[in-house]
Amino acid sequence: MSAIEFRDHDHAACMRSTMQAAEAQCTARGLRLTPVRRRALEILLAEHRALGAYDLLAHLSAEGLGAQPPVAYRALDFLVKAGLAHKIEALNAYVGCVHPGEDHAPAFLIWRSCRSVAEAETPPTKSRLGDADRPAGFPTAPSLLDAAGLCPPCHASSAQD
């Protein structure tokens, strides 16, 4: 498992390549990445932390892209359904997907003090139950896994206190 957000990387290049992959995925699937949807995804990718709908709305509103909650909710709904963002239910917040277009089962490392989030690579699976749901006739949706802890900068800071 790797969490690219918390190791040294060229963040601008990372965002550029992720946005290119997202655009390619939308084109291939006939989806429209409107200016608001595009900007919402850019904001989620830039933050490296979970954002609630109202956090996103504050960014969009400051940029003149809409001031009403449905603007943020519609953009987030599109991004999640398109596989370009993930909703972290435990936080009622969203993060941009760093693996758009790839079949994967996201696992999120959530840092308690700064609310930073890293999407870790895990092998794709139907659900955490495997095929246990099949005999019961109870099809499950893919699930997200999250874990909480301290990110390296916060851990270093707390060790110095």
Side-chain angles (χ1 to χ4, degrees):
M1 210 171 10
S2 71
I4 64 167
E5 290 83 356
F6 292 99
R7 65 174 194 233
D8 289 334
H9 72 289
D10 182 343
H11 187 60
C14 178
M15 279 195 57
R16 221 175 8 262
S17 67
T18 302
M19 287 303 298
Q20 288 170 348
E23 290 166 4
Q25 179 179 338
C26 285
T27 299
R29 293 178 55 199
L31 301 175
R32 188 162 174 255
L33 195 57
T34 64
V36 171
R37 293 168 178 173
R38 176 185 312 279
R39 187 62 189 129
L41 180 56
E42 290 170 344
I43 292 165
L44 291 176
L45 291 170
E47 288 291 320
H48 280 316
R49 65 184 178 94
L51 290 180
Y54 283 89
D55 297 324
L56 178 64
L57 183 61
H59 285 278
L60 295 173
S61 179
E63 296 177 20
L65 293 172
Q68 298 299 316
V71 170
Y73 283 109
R74 280 193 292 259
L76 290 166
D77 185 53
F78 170 85
L79 294 173
V80 170
K81 286 180 180 174
L84 303 175
H86 301 289
K87 182 174 183 183
I88 301 175
E89 296 290 341
L91 300 175
N92 193 27
Y94 301 81
V95 294
C97 178
V98 296
H99 305 290
E102 295 179 21
D103 187 18
H104 66 290
F108 297 99
L109 308 176
I110 304 167
W111 281 268
R112 293 184 300 248
S113 57
C114 64
R115 287 186 53 120
S116 295
V117 176
E119 182 178 342
E121 298 173 33
T122 63
T125 58
K126 181 175 170 286
S127 75
R128 301 287 180 246
L129 296 173
D131 288 327
D133 58 348
R134 190 171 289 168
F138 185 76
T140 56
S143 61
L144 303 179
L145 175 66
D146 57 70
L150 289 175
C151 68
C154 291
H155 182 69
S157 175
S158 69
Q160 293 173 2
D161 293 337

